[in-house]
């Protein structure tokens, strides 16, 4: 648990494996192609940045007070949105929280962000209202 694997889309062969990325398991992954990074989040409340070519841990930071259940990142990784029952917007390279949105009655299951990071949408486990956030 807590490992991230990259596989070749053409051959299905393992390209790399990052072990013990998130203690307790990885709950969400997000890819930032322009930044050459993959982000992971999980039960340990950590957001972890991995190099897309090697899987090496480049950085990690505390993403919240509760286990993280959803994650989205802009293509250039200028903004990341990490969620539990609240959604926090981050500048991941600076490891700086920009703001926090509340309103979900339970943990978020999915989150999406616009390419420029100006807005995000999230939905909680069990359905419920869609959260739309202006960044």
């Amino acid at each position: 648990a807590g490992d991230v694997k990259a596989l070749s889309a053409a051959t299905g062969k393992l390209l790399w494996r990052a072990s013990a990325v998130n203690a307790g398991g990885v709950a969400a992954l997000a890819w930032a192609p322009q930044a050459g990074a993959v982000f992971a989040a999980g039960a340990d409340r950590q957001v972890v940045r991995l190099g897309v070519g090697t899987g090496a841990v480049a950085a990690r930071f505390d993403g919240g007070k509760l286990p993280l259940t959803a994650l989205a990142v802009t293509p250039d990784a200028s903004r990341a949105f990490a969620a539990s029952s609240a959604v926090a917007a981050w500048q991941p390279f600076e490891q700086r929280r920009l703001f926090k949105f509340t309103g979900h009655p339970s943990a978020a299951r999915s989150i999406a962000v616009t390419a420029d990071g100006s807005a995000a949408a999230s939905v909680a486990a069990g359905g419920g209202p869609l959260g739309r956030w202006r960044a």
Side-chain angles (χ1 to χ4, degrees), residues 50-94:
L50 304 168
V52 75
T54 64
V57 173
R60 67 175 58 239
F61 61 92
D62 190 5
K65 294 180 180 176
L66 298 171
L68 299 174
T69 56
L71 181 66
V73 64
T74 58
D76 65 358
S78 61
R79 289 209 175 154
F81 292 77
S84 56
S85 58
V87 176
W90 294 87
Q91 288 180 319
F93 286 96
E94 293 81 7

Side-chain angles (χ1 to χ4, degrees), residues 22-56:
N22 289 102
V26 174
L29 289 172
W31 178 40
Q34 294 170 7
V38 173
F39 291 81
D44 61 359
R45 305 180 335 251
Q46 297 284 300
V47 176
V48 182
R49 179 169 46 98
L50 304 168
V52 75
T54 64

